[in-house]
Amino acid sequence: MSTLLISHPCFLDHLTPIGHPERPDRLRAIDRVLEHERFQALERETAAMGTVEAIARAHPMAHVDRLYKAAPEEGLVRLDADTTLSPGSWEAALRGAGAACQAVDEVVTRKVSNAFVASRPPGHHAEHERAMGFCLFNNAAIAARHAQAVHGIGRVAIVDFDVHHGNGTQDIFWADPSVMYCSTHQMPLYPGSGAASERGEADTIVNVPLSAGDDGAIFREAVETGILPRLEAFKPELIIISAGFDAHARDPLGGLNLVEADFGWITRVLMDVADQHAGGRVVSLLEGGYDLEGLARSTAAHVMTLMTG
């Protein structure tokens, strides 16, 4: 079987203010690198439109309605200091959620081995009832709920290696024993959450914070000692990756010193866990990554590892 890449031109139409790090050029950089002949074996699909029903499994309808009503016909609307809506944002958000569910469908039904979704805006800061941190809907949470509701998956693990803690994913699954959320991230850093003591009501929140300046060796040790034993004990039936590449040493928004080989390594490690417990089922969703060269190289390492697993 093959690796599936899902994207859509509308993801370029979510606009942000001039100088904003979460900009359309991020996807253009990914598109360019994944057009290389090394990636010709990728299966490629355009993102389906997400449904309100799927989104409402992770967010209340009041949140969905607020974003729909706030979306402008022209110009930009700020939801907070970091998070913006443009005329193209609503479709991008819907197709981001749709692509996450589409990836789950293809992977769980064994049409492909695994999948990577190249979409924007990202999702892991979007809490149950609040858009924030560049994020509108929490695509990883929507994908997990879709897997459970539509495909009968019991235990889902979401593993997040973005430099920023996924406060939104933690918020949504804080009291849910069926979803394990594991995160490495720099701390202190936006959004301020993610201490190791934050474990959730069912002890299924696993935070392994790193410090500014930490490199790949420290990152790998943190994963091996802090996350892998918990994943092995949880025995997930599906692994969803919140693939943020802003822990790269080049990234302007973080202070970690990972390189593309580190992202290839964590991808391989998570695939091994999936092979053991989840029938190899891995769905990866793009989160952060704001230096275009670091983002492109890291994405290439991540996707190549998915392809050669």
Side-chain angles (χ1 to χ4, degrees):
M1 290 192 293
S2 55
T3 295
L4 173 64
L5 170 66
I6 303 177
S7 195
H8 196 283
C10 81
F11 296 137
L12 298 174
D13 297 332
H14 168 63
L15 304 181
T16 53
I18 294 173
H20 197 287
E22 206 295 284
R23 60 205 189 276
D25 281 346
R26 298 179 63 234
L27 276 199
R28 295 188 179 103
I30 289 174
D31 288 344
R32 283 193 297 271
V33 76
L34 295 183
E35 285 299 323
H36 191 278
E37 63 181 357
R38 292 181 298 157
F39 298 102
Q40 291 310 300
L42 282 170
E43 296 285 335
R44 297 171 188 259
E45 294 181 4
T46 55
M49 189 72 80
T51 66
V52 170
E53 177 188 15
I55 295 168
R57 296 189 186 107
H59 299 285
M61 280 304 303
H63 173 73
V64 180
D65 289 341
R66 270 197 305 273
L67 290 183
Y68 176 73
K69 292 174 181 176
E73 294 186 4
E74 60 182 28
L76 300 177
V77 170
R78 285 187 181 269
L79 300 177
D80 61 25
D82 301 312
T83 312
T84 304
L85 289 172
S86 72
S89 298
W90 180 249
E91 181 180 354
L94 284 183
R95 288 196 188 272
C101 296
Q102 181 179 349
V104 168
D105 291 340
E106 299 274 353
V107 169
V108 171
T109 60
R110 311 288 186 176
K111 293 181 180 177
V112 296
S113 298
N114 50 52
F116 176 67
V117 176
S119 66
R120 53 180 293 278
H124 72 154
H125 292 309
E127 296 181 339
H128 182 59
E129 299 187 55
R130 180 166 65 147
M132 62 179 287
F134 312 165
C135 304
L136 304 177
F137 297 135
N138 194 308
N139 296 325
I142 292 165
R145 289 291 188 228
H146 179 77
Q148 292 178 321
V150 175
H151 297 286
I153 296 292
R155 297 178 306 281
V156 180
I158 300 173
V159 181
D160 186 339
F161 49 72
D162 194 282
V163 78
H164 303 97
H165 180 245
N167 60 294
T169 314
Q170 175 171 292
D171 173 63
I172 290 168
F173 296 114
W174 183 258
D176 189 338
S178 72
V179 178
M180 174 169 279
Y181 174 67
C182 303
S183 176
T184 59
H185 47 274
Q186 182 180 332
M187 196 174 183
L189 194 67
Y190 181 91
S193 55
S197 59
E198 297 168 22
R199 300 172 63 96
E201 291 182 16
D203 197 28
T204 48
I205 304 294
V206 184
N207 287 310
V208 185
L210 304 170
S211 299
D214 284 353
D215 61 8
I218 296 173
F219 166 73
R220 295 182 190 210
E221 181 181 7
V223 170
E224 288 174 339
T225 60
I227 289 178
L228 287 184
R230 298 295 307 280
L231 280 178
E232 295 284 358
F234 185 67
K235 296 180 172 59
E237 298 166 50
L238 170 69
I239 293 179
I240 296 171
I241 301 175
S242 275
F245 300 109
D246 43 7
H248 193 282
R250 294 179 57 94
D251 202 274
L253 298 194
L256 298 182
N257 287 317
L258 273 58
V259 296
E260 44 269 31
D262 297 312
F263 296 111
W265 175 85
I266 183 62
T267 307
R268 176 70 267 171
V269 164
L270 296 177
M271 292 172 70
D272 288 344
V273 176
D275 286 343
Q276 184 174 353
H277 299 292
R281 296 180 291 203
V282 174
V283 169
S284 178
L285 310 176
L286 179 66
E287 299 284 1
Y290 305 102
D291 175 82
L292 298 184
E293 182 177 343
L295 172 63
R297 293 187 341 214
S298 300
T299 301
H302 178 61
V303 173
M304 183 56 66
T305 305
L306 290 174
M307 293 174 66
T308 56

